[in-house]
Amino acid sequence: MSVIEAPRSQARPARKRGLNLEKWGWIYMRASGVVLLVLIFGHLFVNLLVGEGVKAIDFGFVGGKWADPFWQWWDVAMLWLALIHGANGMRTIVNDYTNPGTAQKVLKGALFLAATVLIVLGTLVVFTFDPCPAGSPADLLPSFCPAV
Amino acid sequence: MPENSAGTLAAPAKPAKQKPGGTLYRGREGMWSWVLHRITGVAIFFFLLVHILDTALVRVSPEAYNAVIGTYQTPIMGLGEVALVGAIVFHAFNGIRIILVDLWAWATRHQKLLFYIVIALWVVTMLGFAPRHLMNVFSH
Ligand code: HEM
């Protein structure tokens, strides 16, 4: 029987000098986790429990929320923290179940790419969003849009 | 299975060499909380990828966004949302448990108790969430 390495044995020794990225990753998972708990529970409460919950979500609902910088920053913070936390957690899992090599590089590359693209996309969407796009039927828009 | 199978099978005269007992998975609260944390983490991650893309449709047109978000309001998806929220709530509470176990000696000693506290808080939270959410989904 091939011997399995003891849990927590390192693939390569931790760096002695300079930045220990694995340590900072470990700290990030915990710090972001605490903040995410607040952000995500608040998100779920406002979107799913208040009023008619999921039934009330439509373009007008989103437009109403993002008219307020408070919710824009709330959602952008959640976006960055959750994607980096999730992608880094997935990297841990890839490290656990694959050996160093091409497949591992491809998987980690895909995680990095997905997180980067979605962070850029999401941030642009939140800050360039137009709640009153010209030519859209008024009944689909937030109530504060000027009638045309 | 005895409480602690390692080392109780045959009392070794000299300290037993560390060898894998066939598997690294040791069972009990510690393993199951880890398994659940891992599965829920992966599930939430993949949902998040989809959820950012569907929300990005607000930048396309009100019609496009409403069409896709409408599919979140069907009964089947309503049940799926209960599962998703259940996964998030477990991952969140158990994440706090992990942090406490890492940083606080008392919590390290009482990690099993903390696991049952996580389960209890999960049940309470889901009792607050699921009925109300399902009423929203299945009424009107
Ligand atoms: C709600 C608040 C959250 C808390 C308190 C939390 C906490 C944690 C903690 C403490 C870890 C362990 C890190 C380690 O062992 O080094 C972790 C792992 C992980 N988290 Fe979260 N997390 C939260 C939200 C999320 C979200 C939103 C995602 C998905 C986007 C996610 C995905 C993951 C993944 C994939 C792992 C790796 C699991 C593993 O290594 O087995 N978490 N989380």
Side-chain angles (χ1 to χ4, degrees):
Chain A
M1 186 171 66
S2 68
V3 174
I4 310 167
E5 277 181 274
R8 276 174 236 96
S9 48
Q10 286 164 321
R12 45 188 114 68
R15 272 202 247 171
K16 291 264 167 18
R17 45 179 70 236
L19 199 60
N20 182 347
L21 279 177
E22 288 297 338
K23 182 183 88 177
W24 284 103
W26 184 93
I27 294 171
Y28 176 82
M29 291 307 276
R30 280 141 187 84
S32 64
V34 173
V35 181
L36 278 169
L37 186 138
V38 176
L39 292 177
I40 294 177
F41 278 36
H43 176 74
L44 293 175
F45 185 80
V46 169
N47 288 29
L48 294 183
L49 284 179
V50 172
E52 301 206 320
V54 71
K55 279 280 168 84
I57 302 179
D58 58 11
F59 184 88
F61 177 88
V62 180
K65 263 185 106 178
W66 287 349
D68 186 346
F70 177 84
W71 287 115
Q72 287 186 313
W73 286 105
W74 185 290
D75 286 355
V76 166
M78 203 160 54
L79 174 79
W80 285 66
L81 289 172
L83 268 174
I84 296 172
H85 177 108
N88 191 46
M90 293 294 288
R91 185 186 65 92
T92 303
I93 297 177
V94 168
N95 275 334
D96 276 359
Y97 299 123
T98 63
N99 290 315
T102 313
Q104 190 179 78
K105 284 212 180 71
V106 169
L107 287 170
K108 289 184 186 175
L111 287 171
F112 183 82
L113 193 71
T116 311
V117 168
L118 288 176
I119 283 178
V120 171
L121 173 73
T123 309
L124 284 175
V125 166
V126 172
F127 289 122
T128 67
F129 171 65
D130 177 4
C132 309
S136 291
D139 60 328
L140 297 183
L141 301 182
S143 52
F144 55 72
C145 289
V148 264
Chain B
M1 261 263 258
E3 265 285 313
N4 196 343
S5 50
T8 58
L9 292 178
K14 43 187 172 173
K17 257 197 299 173
Q18 270 221 338
K19 61 180 177 193
T23 172
L24 279 174
Y25 299 96
R26 293 159 176 235
R28 304 195 65 89
E29 294 85 347
M31 182 190 94
W32 291 111
S33 65
W34 170 80
V35 167
L36 286 172
H37 198 81
R38 183 156 275 195
I39 293 175
T40 53
V42 173
I44 303 163
F45 179 75
F46 282 112
F47 169 74
L48 179 61
L49 301 185
V50 177
H51 188 46
I52 293 166
L53 291 173
D54 65 56
T55 306
L57 288 174
V58 293
R59 204 69 191 77
V60 177
S61 75
E63 290 85 354
Y65 181 76
N66 287 352
V68 171
I69 209 70
T71 63
Y72 279 92
Q73 297 160 357
T74 57
I76 303 251
M77 288 297 269
L79 293 172
E81 283 140 25
V82 173
L84 177 71
V85 170
I88 293 173
V89 170
F90 176 83
H91 189 96
F93 289 166
N94 193 56
I96 301 300
R97 172 183 161 278
I98 295 174
I99 297 171
L100 293 177
V101 167
D102 282 345
L103 299 179
W104 181 24
W106 181 90
T108 318
R109 268 180 274 123
H110 294 85
Q111 57 93 8
K112 289 186 187 178
L113 170 67
L114 285 172
F115 179 65
Y116 290 107
I117 293 178
V118 164
I119 300 291
L121 288 176
W122 181 84
V123 169
V124 171
T125 310
M126 292 310 284
L127 283 177
F129 171 76
R132 178 162 180 120
H133 179 66
L134 291 174
M135 267 156 62
N136 281 329
V137 169
F138 285 92
S139 58
H140 332 292

